[in-house]
Amino acid sequence: MQQLRRLKDHSGLTLRMLQARTPFSGSSWERYLNGKALPPAAAVTALAVLADADAAPLLALREAAQDSGAATEAPHRDEAAETTPQRVPALSGPPPPSSPRKGEHRTRDLEPGKVHGVALSLAGGALLLSAVISGWLIADRPDIVGDPAASATGVGSYSCAYVRHGDLTFAGNSSTNSRLVALNSTGPDVAEVQCLLRRHHLSAGDVDGYFGKRTEAEVKTLQQQDHVSADGIVGEQTWSLLRHVE
C-alpha cells in the first residue's frame, strides 16, 4: 500500500523501529510496505498510531484492497514456472477409440439428465468436503478468523496488539476516542473496548467484537471505579478511561 509507505517515510520510522514497537517483524513490514502482502488491520492501526495519523482512511483503503485482491503475495519465480501450463501440440486427427475400463462409464452414453445429476452430486460433495475442512480448521485454530473484514457482522475472533502512544494505549483494532459503543454493538470498536478492559484487569470474556451483557457489566465496573456515570455505554469520557492505562 503506497499510503502506508508514504506514512512510514514521512514519520522517519525504520523497519527496525517498526519491529521494536509493534508485534510484527521487520520482514513482515517490508512485505506490507512494498505491496507484497496485504497488511492486517492491527498493523495498519499500529503504524497510524506511531505516525500520529488517523487510521480510519487507511483501514478503508486496506478493506478496498482486500476486496479487489490487489495486494496478494507474489509467487516465487520457480513456483510461477512450475504452475505455467505447457502447450500441448494439437493432434493431427481424432484420438483413437478406447474401451472403458472395468467400473468406468462413458459420459456420452449417459442421458443428458443423468449427466447433469452426476455433475450436481460431484459439486455438492466438493462443497460439503470444503465446509467440513473449514469447520475443522476454525475449531482447531480459532485465531484464523482474526480478520474483521471477513465477517459481515463484525463478530469473530480479534487479537490485542497493544501499542503506547504518549499516555494513551491502543490495542490495534480501532483508534477512535469518541465513537459511541453500547449493548449489541459489533465490530472492531467493540474488540478495542474488550482488549482495553483486559488491560484494566477486567474480563469481558472473549475478544469477539460483540458488546454483550458481560462486556456491558465490565464497562460499568470501570465507570464505577472512576466515579463516572455507570451507564455501560462507551462514549468519549469512557474511551478516555479505557485508553489511559497505567
Side-chain angles (χ1 to χ4, degrees):
M1 297 174 67
Q2 295 181 356
Q3 291 78 6
L4 284 182
R5 187 172 184 85
R6 292 195 192 101
L7 185 60
K8 173 258 185 189
D9 293 341
H10 180 72
S11 66
L13 294 167
T14 65
L15 293 179
R16 182 172 297 179
M17 294 168 66
L18 288 173
Q19 177 174 306
R21 300 183 185 182
T22 69
F24 305 95
S25 66
S27 59
S28 294
W29 278 112
E30 188 275 331
R31 292 195 301 274
Y32 302 155
L33 295 170
N34 288 300
K36 298 178 182 178
L38 182 69
V44 174
T45 302
L47 179 56
V49 169
L50 291 173
D52 197 19
D54 185 6
L58 295 173
L59 290 171
L61 289 172
R62 177 199 172 279
E63 183 174 355
Q66 184 181 41
D67 292 341
S68 65
T72 56
E73 189 81 26
H76 191 274
R77 181 177 299 176
D78 294 338
E79 295 174 351
E82 290 176 1
T83 56
T84 302
Q86 301 296 323
R87 292 177 176 265
V88 179
L91 298 176
S92 58
S98 59
S99 301
R101 298 177 182 177
K102 183 178 181 180
E104 291 184 348
H105 299 279
R106 295 187 181 183
T107 304
R108 64 186 181 185
D109 294 334
L110 297 176
E111 297 178 4
K114 293 182 179 179
V115 173
H116 183 66
V118 170
L120 288 178
S121 298
L122 291 174
L127 288 175
L128 178 59
L129 178 60
S130 176
V132 171
I133 294 175
S134 299
W136 174 80
L137 288 174
I138 292 173
D140 186 57
R141 288 286 309 280
D143 56 313
I144 65 173
V145 199
D147 186 0
S151 174
T153 63
V155 178
S157 179
Y158 293 77
S159 60
C160 301
Y162 299 103
V163 176
R164 292 297 298 268
H165 185 63
D167 60 345
L168 301 180
T169 300
F170 296 83
N173 296 298
S174 172
S175 60
T176 183
N177 287 315
S178 59
R179 194 172 295 129
L180 197 66
V181 182
L183 185 64
N184 294 326
S185 295
T186 60
D189 292 336
V190 177
E192 185 79 0
V193 170
Q194 293 169 330
C195 286
L196 293 174
L197 284 171
R198 289 187 174 187
R199 296 287 283 183
H200 285 272
H201 307 290
L202 297 170
S203 176
D206 295 334
V207 181
D208 57 4
Y210 174 68
F211 199 111
K213 291 289 187 179
R214 184 170 179 177
T215 301
E216 181 185 56
E218 295 302 292
V219 169
K220 288 181 178 179
T221 300
L222 177 68
Q223 291 169 333
Q224 290 169 353
Q225 290 175 352
D226 290 88
H227 307 290
V228 300
S229 177
D231 55 6
I233 298 174
V234 180
E236 184 172 354
Q237 186 178 35
T238 304
W239 274 117
S240 179
L241 298 177
L242 286 166
R243 296 215 181 273
H244 285 81
V245 181
E246 297 298 329

